[in-house]
């Protein structure tokens, strides 16, 4: 039985997945990290957990976080981010500009690739950088 919580694709397998396929996986990974982060804070009601999660996962917030971690990305990570940022998406949500949506898709693509490559420690490092007040 495959353990989908602990996957480790090869780089070749990850590169065979479309940009938007990686973004789809990364969206789920990113949202789970956000929900876990908020639950770990321990001071949220269920209503506030949902509201605060929505605030963290919306494209404009993801775009800010993408800019925040960009200087810390390796060349390979930057390539994954660029793949997602340049993906041909059909529409951006009303709450985001096309540029914000592109950065958010880049961030999700990066997170999807890192997850599938089994690089959980690196995912955690980048996520903690995003949540850090002074980074």
């Amino acid at each position: 039985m495959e353990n989908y919580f602990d996957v480790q694709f090869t780089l070749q397998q990850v590169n065979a997945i479309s940009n938007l396929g990686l973004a789809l996986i990364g969206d789920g990974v990113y949202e789970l990290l956000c929900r876990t982060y908020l639950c770990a804070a321990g001071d949220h009601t269920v209503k506030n957990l949902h509201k605060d999660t929505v605030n963290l996962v919306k494209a404009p917030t993801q775009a800010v976080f993408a800019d925040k971690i960009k200087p810390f990305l390796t060349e390979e990570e930057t390539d994954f981010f660029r793949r997602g940022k340049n993906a041909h998406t059909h529409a951006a949500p009303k709450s985001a500009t096309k540029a914000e949506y592109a950065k958010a898709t880049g961030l999700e693509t990066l997170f999807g690739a890192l997850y599938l490559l089994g690089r959980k420690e690196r995912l955690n490092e980048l996520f903690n950088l995003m949540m850090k007040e002074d980074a």
Side-chain angles (χ1 to χ4, degrees), residues 97-131:
T97 66
K98 284 186 178 185
E100 288 170 333
Y101 193 64
K103 286 180 185 180
T105 305
L107 182 71
E108 291 171 349
T109 302
L110 169 63
F111 273 45
L114 290 175
Y115 170 76
L116 291 175
L117 289 166
R119 299 181 188 167
K120 291 181 281 194
E121 191 172 312
R122 182 59 174 158
L123 267 171
N124 201 46
E125 284 175 26
L126 292 174
F127 186 77
N128 279 312
L129 276 172
M130 292 183 332
M131 295 299 131

Side-chain angles (χ1 to χ4, degrees), residues 18-20 23 81-90 102 105-106 109:
S18 72
N19 301 337
L20 295 178
F81 175 80
R82 191 178 309 112
R83 273 181 64 181
K85 186 176 175 218
N86 295 334
H88 296 289
T89 55
H90 295 289
T105 305
T109 302

Side-chain angles (χ1 to χ4, degrees), residues 28-132:
V29 170
Y30 176 75
E31 184 165 346
L32 182 59
L33 286 167
C34 289
R35 288 174 181 235
T36 304
Y37 171 80
L38 292 170
C39 283
D43 59 352
H44 291 79
T45 63
V46 172
K47 181 180 177 183
N48 287 341
L49 278 172
H50 176 71
K51 182 178 63 104
D52 292 345
T53 299
V54 168
N55 285 332
L56 287 175
V57 301
K58 63 185 179 183
T61 304
Q62 287 183 342
V64 169
F65 286 152
D67 287 337
K68 195 172 182 180
I69 65 168
K70 217 170 169 188
F72 302 99
L73 299 180
T74 66
E75 188 176 325
E76 180 186 55
E77 291 166 349
T78 300
D79 288 344
F80 281 120
F81 175 80
R82 191 178 309 112
R83 273 181 64 181
K85 186 176 175 218
N86 295 334
H88 296 289
T89 55
H90 295 289
K94 292 178 188 174
S95 63
T97 66
K98 284 186 178 185
E100 288 170 333
Y101 193 64
K103 286 180 185 180
T105 305
L107 182 71
E108 291 171 349
T109 302
L110 169 63
F111 273 45
L114 290 175
Y115 170 76
L116 291 175
L117 289 166
R119 299 181 188 167
K120 291 181 281 194
E121 191 172 312
R122 182 59 174 158
L123 267 171
N124 201 46
E125 284 175 26
L126 292 174
F127 186 77
N128 279 312
L129 276 172
M130 292 183 332
M131 295 299 131
K132 220 175 162 181

